[in-house]
Amino acid sequence: MFGFFKRSRANTPRRAPNSAPDTRSTPPGTPRWPLELWRRPDLRADDPEYVAACLTPTFPEEPETRVLNDGYALNRIIEVAKFDGSTSPEMAEVVTELLADPRYTDLDALYSWLVPVYRGTKRELELIGQGLRSCPRKYALLDLAGTAMLRRGRSAEALYYWAHAVANAESVGKGPQASAYTFLIAVANTTGRRNAAKVFRARANQDDRPEMVLDDEHTYLVEKVFRQPTKAMRQVLDTLAQRISG
């Protein structure tokens, strides 16, 4: 059913961490890193190449067997969240220490706690890019990248990352666990792609819930940022839905 979402094991082109993308020609399958894309956008949602950029496997995904709930890591995180807050400097310190521990190096789940500490800053995008480069499991990080771009008013980039997030999750049999589906449901409804929204909702086991499943803040942002969708954006949503349901 999900044969199209093959796990990408090919070597992906690498750039120096702070180099800018070549806006003259960026072939589909070339990773766009969040900070680079924010500084010098090379995704144009009115360009036919945008569809290929969103739907071509780009960020190699591998299964991850490690968990935070191992009796140590998550306990430390919960303790800090309880006494200092989940977005406190103390949280950043603890999670950074855990990432330096060989048991948790490149564990994507830790970034879900670290990235929100720096929400809205350059460091937020740096950390997401760091995780995408190093973590075996990437679909949750791609979701974080899409959400970060949504908050910055960048619809083309947000959809790009969410499309890759669900494709990556499907490639390792974790489709229903991809929270990016929640955003895609809202985007599809906002842009008038009702059939795509239905497919995304069913895949995320949300087919019995209201159309807009996000909280008020993110629902408002989706409706604002995607109020003028391009033909290419609609094509991304429709094609992605076809591949998922096919």
Side-chain angles (χ1 to χ4, degrees):
M1 180 177 180
F2 301 107
F4 181 85
F5 294 108
K6 299 297 184 182
R7 190 180 308 165
S8 175
R9 296 181 181 272
N11 292 328
T12 54
R14 290 182 176 270
R15 296 193 187 101
N18 296 317
S19 64
D22 182 357
T23 58
R24 294 171 299 173
S25 177
T26 305
T30 302
R32 268 85 164 186
W33 309 113
L35 183 58
E36 295 174 6
L37 202 51
W38 170 247
R39 285 174 167 171
R40 189 177 177 184
D42 73 335
L43 279 174
R44 291 181 51 190
D46 58 352
D47 189 328
E49 293 183 0
Y50 176 74
V51 177
C54 290
L55 299 178
T56 301
T58 299
F59 301 91
E61 181 84 16
E62 297 293 340
E64 175 61 81
T65 59
R66 295 174 296 172
V67 297
L68 278 184
N69 191 13
D70 62 355
Y72 176 70
L74 187 59
N75 289 353
R76 289 195 64 190
I77 289 172
I78 291 175
E79 183 178 6
V80 172
K82 180 179 179 180
F83 291 102
D84 299 301
S86 60
T87 59
S88 64
E90 289 80 8
M91 178 63 74
E93 181 179 351
V94 166
V95 176
T96 300
E97 289 178 4
L98 289 170
L99 282 169
D101 186 322
R103 293 174 294 176
Y104 309 109
T105 299
D106 299 334
L107 180 58
D108 63 307
L110 286 172
Y111 285 88
S112 296
W113 290 94
L114 182 59
V115 168
V117 176
Y118 300 96
R119 180 173 295 176
T121 69
K122 169 186 170 182
R123 183 61 175 155
E124 175 189 28
L125 300 180
E126 288 178 337
L127 286 169
I128 296 171
Q130 175 182 309
L132 287 174
R133 286 177 169 91
S134 63
C135 295
R137 184 172 56 192
K138 296 178 172 63
Y139 66 84
L141 288 160
L142 290 163
D143 181 17
L144 288 175
T147 307
M149 291 300 179
L150 174 70
R151 295 195 185 101
R152 288 165 170 80
R154 300 281 280 269
S155 58
E157 291 85 348
L159 181 55
Y160 167 80
Y161 285 119
W162 289 330
H164 281 291
V166 297
N168 273 36
E170 295 289 359
S171 75
V172 291
K174 299 294 184 180
Q177 298 181 23
S179 56
Y181 271 124
T182 301
F183 286 96
L184 289 175
I185 292 166
V187 173
N189 280 315
T190 298
T191 57
R193 316 318 285 175
R194 302 297 181 182
N195 289 337
K198 183 178 180 180
V199 170
F200 299 149
R201 193 179 301 113
R203 187 60 186 142
N205 297 322
Q206 297 177 358
D207 51 341
D208 59 345
R209 299 185 183 184
E211 286 190 358
M212 303 301 284
V213 296
L214 294 180
D215 58 29
D216 290 343
E217 175 191 0
H218 291 97
T219 296
Y220 168 77
L221 287 174
V222 168
E223 291 176 345
K224 177 182 178 181
V225 173
F226 287 90
R227 67 182 181 275
Q228 293 182 320
T230 65
K231 179 180 179 181
M233 284 180 169
R234 294 189 180 99
Q235 187 175 347
V236 168
L237 293 166
D238 290 343
T239 305
L240 187 61
Q242 290 169 6
R243 291 176 176 179
I244 291 168
S245 61

